[in-house]
Amino acid sequence: MSRVRKGYVLRYADGCFFIEEAPYKVSQLGDAEVYFKYFDLLEAQERVKRQTGESAEIAAVTFTIANTTFV
């Protein structure tokens, strides 16, 4: 059974996404850091500024988690 999850990522003006370790950017959404708690998201937004000197905007993402059983 699958379920839909909602979270947030931080997106730079150039379309890249924030990750927690250097180089702090990835181009693929699937590799981005996903945050589920607003407080964690705000702390990460401050780390973006401190580590890169850039700002990143909050973007909502929705994805499906599927449980698969092989027999």
Side-chain angles (χ1 to χ4, degrees):
M1 176 176 213
S2 63
R3 60 187 185 146
V4 174
R5 290 288 309 247
K6 294 180 182 178
Y8 297 90
V9 296
L10 294 172
R11 186 175 56 213
Y12 294 97
D14 65 1
C16 290
F17 300 94
F18 176 68
I19 57 173
E20 293 281 351
E21 56 191 47
Y24 307 114
K25 282 188 177 187
V26 292
S27 60
Q28 300 294 319
L29 177 59
D31 297 329
E33 297 287 339
V34 178
Y35 300 93
F36 298 101
K37 296 180 181 175
Y38 190 70
F39 184 74
D40 293 339
L41 183 62
L42 292 178
E43 284 185 335
Q45 202 170 29
E46 287 300 314
R47 284 193 297 278
V48 169
K49 287 181 186 176
R50 186 173 58 248
Q51 294 166 340
T52 67
E54 297 182 50
S55 60
E57 294 192 12
I58 298 170
V61 292
T62 303
F63 53 95
T64 303
I65 300 173
N67 296 329
T68 306
T69 305
F70 295 97
V71 181

